[in-house]
Amino acid sequence: FQQFLLILVIPVVLALTLREASGTMKALFYFAGGFLIATRIRALALILHDAVHYAICVSRPLNKFLGRLCSLLNFVSFETYTHRHLNHHRFMGNPVYDADFGYGIQATLAEVVESRRMNLKTLSTLLRQFRQSIQIDLLKSREPLAWKTARVFVFAAAITLAFYFESWLGAVAFVLAPMFLFFPALQIFGDFMEHGYLAFQDDGLRSRNHQGVHPFVDWILFSNNDEYHLIHHLFPSAPG
């Protein structure tokens, strides 16, 4: 529940700070606030991932409940994420069946890192693939109506509170940008560190063994210190 608490505390602290800020400093606080909130949504997504594998606690119903709770700030239901992620384990790296592989964006990023070159065509491809990777699945999922309603309520409440305290800029910076821009980007970069080099079929071991680049980077992308993803793929019940 630390991550939920931080998601609540960060906007309050920033809102109080923004009252005294102006100009460029205010814009920086908006950007930093949205990014920090997105890192905590990413942390909840990692807990959601472990809940799919029943790796949070012994009780399977409690695992499922916590997974649903952590999915409230995502627009993909627990059921949809479970189906998609288990297919990722079955068909890892398959561009057709492995939706977690990122609609080709992992392969594109791997090529950019390998070649150390970026051009307009590559950037256009990355932006298109990024847009495709943002999934919203509420109406078609098999999620119980109560949880669908809770997700809509949480989103509406967040928008309303942000707008009330910080006008439309607050709603964009503290709700829309974290959910639909920063969080998806963090997911992609986190997944890339764990799976990106699967695009090179002869060099798969360069992926799935992230062992800590810097404590701040780990706090942003791997809050649970689950930095040995290869072990998780060998033993899915191990948190990863």
Side-chain angles (χ1 to χ4, degrees):
F1 296 101
Q2 176 189 8
Q3 311 306 338
F4 280 109
L5 183 62
L6 285 172
I7 288 173
L8 294 174
V9 168
I10 289 171
V12 172
V13 172
L14 287 170
L16 294 173
T17 306
L18 285 168
R19 292 181 179 180
E20 305 298 327
S22 60
T24 304
M25 188 59 66
K26 193 166 188 175
L28 287 174
F29 272 117
Y30 274 128
F31 179 87
F35 183 77
L36 285 174
I37 292 169
T39 66
R40 298 311 88 202
I41 299 176
R42 159 77 177 170
L44 291 176
L46 294 175
I47 299 173
L48 165 62
H49 165 270
D50 289 347
V52 167
H53 294 288
Y54 297 101
I56 296 179
C57 56
V58 175
S59 169
R60 291 175 74 90
L62 183 56
N63 262 282
K64 198 167 186 177
F65 173 79
L66 293 174
R68 290 190 191 280
L69 196 63
C70 290
S71 75
L72 284 180
L73 294 177
N74 296 309
F75 279 84
V76 177
S77 68
F78 180 80
E79 283 74 12
T80 297
Y81 178 78
T82 298
H83 174 76
R84 190 180 72 187
H85 185 68
L86 293 182
N87 274 346
H88 161 67
H89 276 263
R90 294 187 188 104
F91 307 106
M92 185 175 59
N94 186 302
V96 177
Y97 299 109
D98 183 3
D100 273 12
F101 200 54
Y103 296 87
I105 197 168
Q106 302 291 346
T108 306
L109 283 173
E111 290 173 5
V112 170
V113 172
E114 194 73 3
S115 66
R116 299 186 180 181
R117 290 196 303 268
M118 171 76 79
N119 53 41
L120 288 176
K121 182 179 179 181
T122 305
L123 180 60
S124 174
T125 301
L126 283 172
L127 291 174
R128 174 176 53 80
Q129 292 170 335
F130 177 73
R131 178 181 57 80
Q132 292 173 336
S133 70
I134 300 175
Q135 298 186 49
I136 298 176
D137 180 21
L138 291 178
L139 299 178
K140 293 186 292 184
S141 73
R142 294 174 294 173
E143 185 178 39
L145 180 61
W147 284 98
K148 289 183 182 179
T149 305
R151 180 175 285 102
V152 172
F153 174 79
V154 167
F155 179 71
I159 286 284
T160 302
L161 289 172
F163 186 84
Y164 178 78
F165 287 106
E166 284 297 324
S167 75
W168 65 271
L169 279 174
V172 171
F174 297 153
V175 182
L176 297 179
M179 285 185 173
F180 299 110
L181 178 60
F182 296 131
F183 167 62
L186 290 173
Q187 288 286 86
I188 287 169
F189 282 111
D191 287 344
F192 173 72
M193 293 182 75
E194 294 173 336
H195 308 100
Y197 281 97
L198 290 175
F200 304 108
Q201 296 298 325
D202 60 338
D203 204 7
L205 290 179
R206 293 170 69 182
S207 285
R208 300 171 288 150
N209 279 303
H210 166 64
Q211 298 177 27
V213 177
H214 187 277
F216 183 66
V217 175
D218 289 341
W219 184 78
I220 290 174
L221 292 175
F222 303 101
S223 299
N224 299 335
N225 297 315
D226 46 359
E227 298 158 356
Y228 295 90
H229 204 62
L230 175 57
I231 295 175
H232 169 67
H233 272 270
L234 294 172
F235 306 97
S237 60

